[in-house]
């Protein structure tokens, strides 16, 4: 394996509030829709990070890898734009977002 090939990794985390969720079932519906939509559209790994005991909040995590910093930076920006557009539909509100792109040599 050639260790000189670049490997870039992107990670993003979004905190959301789901104000109209009256149950965990409502929360799962919103979160599953967001995770499935981002997986299909942006070729990212996506996960519900919790908290498992509340129905009106969620932490969503996303990760991707690629061969260039700029490609991943653009993908994470597009992902954020997509989530902001979905936020306008009113099912959830983004309260915090963090993203980072780094080289595997930085690990």
């Amino acid at each position: 394996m050639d260790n000189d090939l670049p490997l870039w990794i992107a990670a993003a985390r979004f905190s959301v509030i789901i104000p109209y969720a009256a149950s965990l079932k409502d929360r799962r519906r919103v979160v599953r829709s967001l995770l499935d939509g981002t997986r299909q559209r942006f070729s990212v790994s996506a996960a519900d990070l919790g908290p498992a005991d509340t129905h009106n909040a969620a932490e969503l995590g996303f990760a991707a890898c690629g061969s260039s910093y700029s490609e991943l930076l653009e993908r994470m920006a597009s992902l954020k734009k997509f989530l902001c557009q979905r936020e306008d539909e009113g099912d959830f509100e983004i309260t915090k977002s963090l993203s980072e792109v780094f080289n595997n040599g930085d690990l």
Side-chain angles (χ1 to χ4, degrees):
M1 183 165 112
D2 187 357
N3 290 334
D4 293 333
L5 295 175
L7 174 62
W8 291 90
I9 303 161
R13 184 177 189 137
F14 290 83
S15 300
V16 298
I17 293 185
I18 309 165
Y20 303 111
S23 66
L24 288 175
K25 184 177 179 180
D26 292 338
R27 177 192 183 279
R28 280 192 301 273
R29 179 187 54 79
V30 172
V31 168
R32 185 174 297 138
S33 173
L34 293 172
L35 297 179
D36 290 347
T38 54
R39 282 183 190 117
Q40 292 173 350
R41 191 176 284 250
F42 301 104
S43 297
V44 296
S45 294
D48 178 357
L49 304 175
D53 58 346
T54 182
H55 61 270
N56 60 0
E59 294 285 327
L60 309 177
F62 303 93
C65 63
S67 61
S68 81
Y69 174 84
S70 59
E71 175 226 337
L72 287 175
L73 197 63
E74 183 178 320
R75 194 181 319 174
M76 290 297 113
S78 296
L79 183 138
K80 183 175 182 177
K81 181 179 177 184
F82 172 77
L83 289 175
C84 288
Q85 289 171 340
R86 292 284 307 271
E87 180 183 27
D88 290 340
E89 295 172 10
D91 285 340
F92 67 96
E93 299 171 24
I94 298 171
T95 59
K96 186 177 182 182
S97 67
L98 302 166
S99 66
E100 184 176 358
V101 177
F102 50 93
N103 187 278
N104 73 315
D106 296 339
L107 298 176

